Amino acid sequence: MMTVKRCELIVKPFGGVNRGARVLEHVTSMLLSSDLQTDVYTTEQSGQAIEIARSAELQTCDAIGVIGGDGTVHEVVNGLMRRREKEKPPLALIPAGTGNTLHHLVGCCDPQSAVRCMI
């Protein structure tokens, strides 16, 4: 099992009727208490998560937490697939959207469980 020491969070704060910002507060608290070094990237518009995932420094990153809904996850995966590196960090799907269909399909139904799994 891999130990996560550093993670990147890509957050859509206004998704799920501003749920993303509230989830980020809880997630940040959990990560700080676990001594996990964390960089946070927030999106301000649709499509921005693609560019963040495509260009973020991931060489020392052990995991990427995606706080948002299905669209945010889709954008992050899209950005990661545009990178040159073959190896990509694992994703933690942290639900904060309206429907979170993908999250439910893979069993990431609440933010706390998703973060505990990532840690």
Side-chain angles (χ1 to χ4, degrees):
M1 180 181 289
M2 178 179 160
T3 301
V4 175
K5 296 178 182 158
R6 181 170 176 270
C7 72
E8 306 287 336
L9 291 178
I10 300 175
V11 185
K12 182 176 182 184
F14 306 111
V17 191
N18 294 327
R19 186 170 177 223
R22 290 190 309 270
V23 170
L24 175 61
E25 286 181 43
H26 291 24
V27 166
T28 303
S29 173
M30 290 178 73
L31 295 175
L32 285 174
S33 68
S34 298
D35 291 326
L36 212 68
Q37 190 177 22
T38 307
D39 293 321
V40 178
Y41 300 91
T42 57
T43 65
E44 296 176 12
Q45 59 193 19
S46 182
Q48 193 173 7
I50 295 171
E51 185 55 32
I52 292 170
R54 190 193 67 70
S55 63
E57 281 292 322
L58 300 179
Q59 286 75 10
T60 60
C61 173
D62 298 313
I64 299 173
V66 182
I67 300 176
D70 299 324
T72 309
V73 173
H74 176 70
E75 287 185 21
V76 170
V77 170
N78 231 332
L80 290 173
M81 297 307 292
R82 295 178 185 183
R83 297 178 70 95
R84 295 183 192 268
E85 306 98 331
K86 290 188 183 210
E87 295 290 320
K88 305 329 188 260
L91 294 179
L93 308 183
I94 304 168
T98 304
N100 300 313
T101 304
L102 178 61
H103 299 78
H104 289 285
L105 286 172
V106 297
C108 298
C109 299
D110 71 89
Q112 291 79 14
S113 296
V115 172
R116 279 193 298 273
C117 184
M118 180 174 69
I119 293 170

